[in-house]
Amino acid sequence: MAGIDVSGLSISFPIYHGDSRTLKKSMANAVSGMRRSGPAAHLQEDARQRVIVSVLNDISFRLNPGDRLGLIGGNGAGKTTLLRALAGIYEPVVGRVRVSGTMGTLLDTNLGMNPELTGAENVRLRCLFFGISRTKTAQILRDVEDFAELGAFLDMPVKTYSSGMVVRLAFGLATAIAPQVLLMDEWFMAGDATFIHKARARLESLVEQAEILVVSSHQPEIMRQWCTRLIWLENGVIRMDGAPEAVLDAYLSA
Ligand SMILES: Nc1ncnc2c1ncn2[C@@H]1O[C@H](COP(=O)(O)OP(=O)(O)OP(=O)(O)O)[C@@H](O)[C@H]1O
């Protein structure tokens, strides 16, 4: 059964810089004089006076099949970092992340996509990676072809695609293999209106199969329509966690 269990998760990045004295001084000033909500609130020094960016701090939540979680928050709040931690790209510094079930990620268009290979070759390669049979691979290829509407470009190297075309291919492929847990950053909404309409219809059908969705977006409409729960992140901590309307009302009026 699909599930996500995040407990006391903290993530920070050390800053390794050749000449960090000026940086440290400005950070020390920022840290000592900062407001909690100020843009430098997550810059700190560790016990060894190294500068660290504390991106997520003590994050906990659980998700069960059918949950559709939206992450909202201003620029640099930690939404993408949280998605990357769920995907296993970042290891927790403190706390733990447990994800059960097969996972599909729409976090970075180039992730797992070889630009030298054609769209079709990338589809076949992904199927090979997941151990999918030839017959099923042929079905998936047809499905991606129908969805992405790339025409002859499906047999062209991905490096010749526009960014919107890469989004269509990546989204089509990630959703064709029907993961139990789908993690999605908002970049895919860069597609044109027709694509967003199709993407939504496809996502709805995935979520109907009681899978888990975690999506980050700056668009309130997307959050209202797609999510059953919202977490508002601010400077790496959970400011509010609850029903979409309540969290959006508080977030938009803050
Ligand atoms: N590898 C890294 N090294 C240092 N700092 C990082 C790293 N990755 C992210 N950060 C910092 O962590 C903070 C949170 O970044 P993140 O991309 O998670 O924010 P976000 O909420 O997704 O923002 P946006 O809405 O602008 O995409 C930012 O201040 C960013 O500069």
Side-chain angles (χ1 to χ4, degrees):
M1 190 171 74
I4 293 182
D5 184 3
V6 177
S7 173
L9 169 70
S10 295
I11 289 192
S12 58
F13 299 101
I15 305 288
Y16 298 105
H17 194 275
D19 178 16
S20 61
R21 278 180 306 161
T22 315
L23 186 64
K24 281 185 177 177
K25 197 175 165 194
S26 58
M27 285 183 182
N29 289 341
V31 170
S32 58
M34 71 192 176
R35 288 174 296 124
R36 199 178 120 69
S37 59
H42 48 274
L43 298 176
Q44 298 169 357
E45 279 191 356
D46 68 6
R48 291 162 59 194
Q49 276 82 52
R50 287 178 309 187
V51 174
I52 56 164
V53 185
S54 169
V55 179
L56 293 177
N57 200 356
D58 199 19
I59 305 289
S60 298
F61 62 90
R62 292 180 78 145
L63 297 175
N64 296 310
D67 285 342
R68 304 158 87 187
L69 175 68
L71 303 175
I72 56 168
N75 291 127
K79 305 179 295 295
T80 301
T81 305
L82 179 53
L83 284 168
R84 285 173 169 253
L86 295 178
I89 298 167
Y90 293 148
E91 282 285 322
V93 175
V94 178
R96 64 155 209 267
V97 173
R98 284 196 187 138
V99 180
S100 40
T102 54
M103 187 192 289
T105 59
L106 285 159
L107 303 182
D108 176 349
T109 39
N110 297 320
L111 212 65
M113 199 78 76
N114 185 333
E116 300 297 330
L117 299 182
T118 67
E121 286 167 342
N122 270 287
V123 173
R124 289 196 200 96
L125 197 64
R126 186 78 60 93
C127 291
L128 210 59
F129 178 77
F130 281 105
I132 292 168
S133 71
R134 275 180 180 223
T135 320
K136 182 80 182 145
T137 297
Q139 271 174 25
I140 289 173
L141 192 55
R142 276 196 300 276
D143 180 40
V144 173
E145 206 172 348
D146 285 351
F147 176 79
E149 293 179 21
L150 295 172
F153 269 94
L154 200 62
D155 294 314
M156 296 285 284
V158 168
K159 66 181 178 191
T160 64
Y161 291 15
S162 70
S163 54
M165 288 161 79
V166 178
V167 167
R168 282 168 179 258
L169 178 66
F171 186 87
L173 181 52
T175 50
I177 299 180
Q180 290 174 295
V181 175
L182 183 61
L183 308 176
M184 196 162 35
D185 216 341
E186 65 174 351
W187 58 260
F188 74 92
M189 293 169 209
D192 58 38
T194 321
F195 171 71
I196 292 171
H197 182 72
K198 281 177 75 173
R200 193 171 297 181
R202 203 163 158 107
L203 260 191
E204 291 293 347
S205 84
L206 278 190
V207 174
E208 269 169 26
Q209 298 166 42
E211 309 296 347
I212 293 175
L213 170 73
V214 185
V215 59
S216 154
S217 175
H218 287 285
Q219 300 180 42
E221 269 322 296
I222 296 281
M223 295 311 208
R224 272 193 196 98
Q225 290 176 22
W226 285 9
C227 300
T228 55
R229 175 178 171 186
L230 292 192
I231 285 183
W232 170 8
L233 286 174
E234 190 177 74
N235 290 333
V237 298
I238 294 180
R239 168 129 180 213
M240 194 171 171
D241 179 354
E245 278 309 324
V247 178
L248 271 176
D249 283 353
Y251 175 66
L252 294 173
S253 59

